[in-house]
Amino acid sequence: MHREIPVTSLQRLPVYLNYLKSLGRTDGNISSGAIARALGMGEVLVRKDLAYTPAHGRARTGYNCGELIAAIEEYLGCNRVLPAVLFGAGALGRALLSYGGFKNYGIELVAAFDCCEEKTGATVGGCTVYPYAAAREVIGRTGARLAVICVPADVAQEVCDTLVECGIAAVLNFAPVLLKVPEGVNVRNIDMAANLAILASQI
Amino acid sequence: MHREIPVTSLQRLPVYLNYLKSLGRTDGNISSGAIARALGMGEVLVRKDLAYTPAHGRARTGYNCGELIAAIEEYLGCNRVLPAVLFGAGALGRALLSYGGFKNYGIELVAAFDCCEEKTGATVGGCTVYPYAAAREVIGRTGARLAVICVPADVAQEVCDTLVECGIAAVLNFAPVLLKVPEGVNVRNIDMAANLAILASQI
DNA sequence: TAGATTGTTAATCGATTAACAATC
DNA sequence: TAGATTGTTAATCGATTAACAATC
């Protein structure tokens, strides 16, 4: 029936979701054309993207706002609660632990880890910071399959290897290194400095 | 001669740069094939990407490591120092202010702004935190054309409008909103929660 | 020279856009 | 009904990959 969603489409779903939520109304309809104009994209693209979700538009009227939001949230899995762990309780790590935005997508940071003894034992954003040695036990106990890496670049691969061993299936990596992982483990990289550099080079 | 670089290629240049630097040698040669294997990409793609920079490989020997690093750095403008400002001195903003990685790309955060009076006046990562009212003066004085937005989603557009008025040409936006900007202003978005959600949905 | 590697031109692949029939 | 809008099939566009001549 439907082919698997392309990553490009998947990346746009949270954009639609943010926009729809920002409208602040769950009743009434909205057309793909209206969404497209608001976000500066093609309307066919919007319809194609939404077709991967359980959303179902109606000719002449468009999509019901509330239903559309619910459909995207269901597709992205915002309704279940998925536990995630974070490695590296530095400034960025602690910022992420304090950040409330993950719960909108049904993700909860349940534990943090740091190699530095001074940081372990503390609680940040409701998460206890454990030493690395506790990783296997805590990951096993919480059932986390999702991890965030905020450690310095030179130890990121080592940390990642440990995570994979502990059964982590997906990693959001903030360290500026390309992590080597076995097939079946999914990695997304966010290099904030590189993103700023790309903008700078275009000025 | 050369067409303008596609954004996809531009995004890979920092990846090559990180990898080459991680090798820790500036003498000796490296082939596009070796880079490709290490990073899991096609070797023709690597050569095409590098062809946008001033790098010049030699048949049979490949690229000189030091020259290649220098060429990518030159292309990305890592050698000049470009001033940038940051809006929103919350946990994420402060983490970015303390982060040392921008200087590798010739970018320096020179000032921060926050609407909260309690935060203004402080110094984080060598940056003074100013009130919003000082934006025009400080941006004018520093000559910053690059800005980072770390404010909550509901005020991001407002902050962005101010920035554009102050002559900012490029914005790195961490708020989960699609910013409306006039033509000629470049925006890149980093939605950290959405990135984690994309991974989570694929588990 | 022979062979490895570059740089470039042609082919392929996938994503976006255009066209349009279905339908409310 | 007429017209707006969806969902889908075909066309286009751009990026990646393959093929290959140049060359060190």
Side-chain angles (χ1 to χ4, degrees):
Chain A
M1 187 88 175
H2 279 310
R3 291 185 312 137
E4 196 177 2
I5 189 170
V7 179
T8 48
S9 292
L10 184 55
Q11 290 180 140
R12 282 188 293 266
L13 293 183
V15 177
Y16 301 137
L17 187 57
N18 282 329
Y19 171 66
L20 292 166
K21 282 181 170 180
S22 79
L23 295 178
R25 59 194 170 88
T26 54
D27 57 343
N29 298 310
I30 189 161
S31 70
S32 58
I35 297 173
R37 273 189 300 281
L39 301 179
M41 30 180 56
E43 58 173 297
V44 183
L45 189 64
V46 174
R47 284 201 292 279
K48 279 226 166 123
D49 287 344
L50 297 179
Y52 287 104
T53 75
H56 195 73
R58 285 172 210 78
R60 174 105 170 115
T61 49
Y63 301 81
N64 176 274
C65 288
E67 279 173 27
L68 186 49
I69 289 173
I72 299 175
E73 286 183 330
E74 185 183 328
Y75 187 84
L76 291 175
C78 301
N79 301 316
R80 49 104 174 93
V81 176
L82 200 68
V85 294
L86 180 143
F87 272 69
L92 176 62
R94 291 197 304 269
L96 292 171
L97 290 170
S98 314
Y99 181 54
F102 300 117
K103 68 172 185 302
N104 295 326
Y105 294 101
I107 297 165
E108 189 188 2
L109 291 175
V110 293
F113 299 89
D114 202 285
C115 62
C116 168
E117 281 190 17
E118 289 166 20
K119 286 176 188 154
T120 61
T123 301
V124 185
C127 273
T128 301
V129 181
Y130 297 94
Y132 280 1
R136 180 177 299 275
E137 188 273 318
V138 176
I139 290 173
R141 173 161 49 81
T142 58
R145 305 209 59 214
L146 193 54
V148 182
I149 292 186
C150 307
V151 301
D154 57 339
V155 293
Q157 181 63 59
E158 194 183 334
V159 166
C160 180
D161 293 344
T162 305
L163 289 172
V164 169
E165 261 185 45
C166 295
I168 291 293
V171 176
L172 184 61
N173 173 40
F174 285 90
V177 213
L178 207 67
L179 299 172
K180 287 198 194 79
V181 289
E183 199 154 350
V185 176
N186 201 352
V187 178
R188 286 183 72 86
N189 298 293
I190 298 184
D191 184 335
M192 304 193 286
N195 270 279
L196 202 50
I198 287 164
L199 281 170
S201 77
Q202 292 172 323
I203 281 183
Chain B
M1 189 91 173
H2 278 311
R3 292 184 311 136
E4 197 176 2
I5 188 169
V7 179
T8 48
S9 292
L10 185 54
Q11 290 180 140
R12 282 187 293 265
L13 292 183
V15 177
Y16 301 137
L17 187 56
N18 282 329
Y19 172 66
L20 292 167
K21 282 180 168 180
S22 79
L23 295 179
R25 58 191 171 91
T26 54
D27 56 344
N29 298 309
I30 190 161
S31 70
S32 58
I35 297 172
R37 273 188 301 281
L39 301 178
M41 30 182 54
E43 57 173 299
V44 183
L45 188 64
V46 174
R47 286 201 291 279
K48 281 228 165 120
D49 287 343
L50 296 180
Y52 287 105
T53 74
H56 194 73
R58 285 172 210 79
R60 174 102 170 116
T61 49
Y63 302 81
N64 174 275
C65 288
E67 280 174 27
L68 185 49
I69 290 174
I72 299 174
E73 288 183 331
E74 185 184 326
Y75 187 84
L76 291 175
C78 301
N79 302 316
R80 50 101 174 95
V81 177
L82 201 69
V85 296
L86 181 144
F87 272 68
L92 176 61
R94 291 197 305 270
L96 293 171
L97 291 170
S98 313
Y99 180 55
F102 300 117
K103 69 171 184 304
N104 294 326
Y105 294 101
I107 297 164
E108 190 187 3
L109 292 175
V110 294
F113 299 88
D114 202 285
C115 63
C116 167
E117 281 190 16
E118 288 166 22
K119 285 178 190 154
T120 61
T123 301
V124 185
C127 274
T128 302
V129 181
Y130 296 94
Y132 281 180
R136 181 178 297 275
E137 189 273 318
V138 175
I139 290 173
R141 173 159 51 79
T142 57
R145 305 208 59 214
L146 193 55
V148 182
I149 292 186
C150 308
V151 301
D154 57 339
V155 292
Q157 182 63 59
E158 193 182 335
V159 165
C160 180
D161 293 344
T162 307
L163 288 172
V164 169
E165 262 185 43
C166 294
I168 290 293
V171 176
L172 185 62
N173 173 41
F174 286 88
V177 213
L178 208 67
L179 298 172
K180 287 197 193 81
V181 290
E183 199 154 351
V185 176
N186 201 353
V187 178
R188 285 182 74 83
N189 298 293
I190 299 183
D191 184 335
M192 303 193 288
N195 269 279
L196 202 50
I198 287 165
L199 280 171
S201 78
Q202 292 172 323
I203 283 182

